[in-house]
Amino acid sequence: MSGAIARDLIAGQLGDVQYDRFLLYLMGPYKSFNLNYVLTEEERRGIDVDELPGPLRALFQHRDEIDEAKAMLRRVQGALRTDPGVNAFLAVDVNLDTDEVDAVTQSIEYARRANATVFVVPFLGHNFGVGEEAGSVLETIADTHGERIVFVHEAAVTSEMIRSARTRWDLRIETYETEAELVDTVRRFVVTTMNREQFGDLERLE
């Protein structure tokens, strides 16, 4: 999978935007975490959900909204494709069969070919798999692409993996409270990266 082929493959399967050649890879959980799916019925009966603090109570709610995490990624993607108009994409947007190239290798290649990569870590997301995948990406390309990568996690999320990523790879870490703050944070990172490519110290990707 050569760089030129990979970038053309990604851009060719996405809709037109103002900056078609600026690829923004968005990584994050596609499903919301919900304790109703983890606990047994007997365990659930012993818990008064209404009496729990807000963040814990949220882990039991939205039982029918298991795709909210993915929906959030789609909203963030749409906002960034509109302003500043970059080619934001999720892994599922690129039609590569995982039988041909496994999911982790795909993520590594997408991050390697992208102008910027953002790991989004929401409080209600199934984040363990994302963390494992992010670790594989960072282990492979952080030395060469670290300045093009940012972790943006919801303020309520604490993770040893995030802390170790900051220490091990000097990775940029941001937090957000609301989805609007998430979009603004990612947008600032994207615009900064675009400016650095055009006027500064980052090599342009073709």
Side-chain angles (χ1 to χ4, degrees), residues 92-198:
V92 293
D93 295 332
V94 185
N95 190 25
L96 277 184
D97 194 332
T98 53
D99 290 335
E100 178 183 346
V101 183
D102 67 87
V104 172
T105 301
Q106 286 188 29
S107 282
I108 292 170
E109 290 302 315
Y110 297 154
R112 194 194 306 274
R113 310 311 175 195
N115 300 77
T117 296
V118 178
F119 299 104
V120 179
V121 187
F123 179 65
L124 290 181
H126 275 292
N127 291 312
F128 181 75
V130 173
E132 292 283 303
E133 200 165 326
S136 297
V137 171
L138 292 170
E139 190 70 43
T140 306
I141 70 168
D143 288 344
T144 56
H145 289 66
E147 292 183 284
R148 297 180 180 272
I149 299 172
V150 65
F151 251 92
V152 190
H153 66 91
E154 196 165 356
V157 173
T158 58
S159 167
E160 182 58 38
M161 192 275 291
I162 294 175
R163 286 190 290 270
S164 64
R166 184 198 299 270
T167 302
R168 181 169 184 176
W169 293 290
D170 193 26
L171 191 67
R172 179 172 175 174
I173 309 290
E174 301 281 358
T175 62
Y176 70 94
E177 295 277 358
T178 67
E179 190 171 312
E181 288 181 6
L182 169 61
V183 171
D184 287 344
T185 297
V186 177
R187 184 177 286 130
R188 284 195 300 271
F189 176 70
V190 167
V191 171
T192 298
T193 304
M194 294 176 77
N195 286 334
R196 288 183 64 193
E197 280 194 352
Q198 188 169 2

Side-chain angles (χ1 to χ4, degrees), residues 38-123:
V38 177
L39 301 178
T40 65
E41 184 176 347
E42 183 177 351
E43 289 170 331
R44 291 198 300 271
R45 280 201 300 268
I47 298 173
D48 186 347
V49 175
D50 292 335
E51 294 297 320
L52 293 173
L56 288 177
R57 187 166 61 250
L59 294 177
F60 287 89
Q61 296 172 338
H62 309 298
R63 188 168 182 175
D64 297 324
E65 299 177 7
I66 60 173
D67 291 328
E68 171 57 24
K70 184 176 180 180
M72 182 195 71
L73 285 176
R74 286 298 192 196
R75 291 192 295 270
V76 173
Q77 176 189 19
L80 296 166
R81 289 179 67 83
T82 300
D83 178 12
V86 295
N87 232 341
F89 70 98
L90 311 186
V92 293
D93 295 332
V94 185
N95 190 25
L96 277 184
D97 194 332
T98 53
D99 290 335
E100 178 183 346
V101 183
D102 67 87
V104 172
T105 301
Q106 286 188 29
S107 282
I108 292 170
E109 290 302 315
Y110 297 154
R112 194 194 306 274
R113 310 311 175 195
N115 300 77
T117 296
V118 178
F119 299 104
V120 179
V121 187
F123 179 65

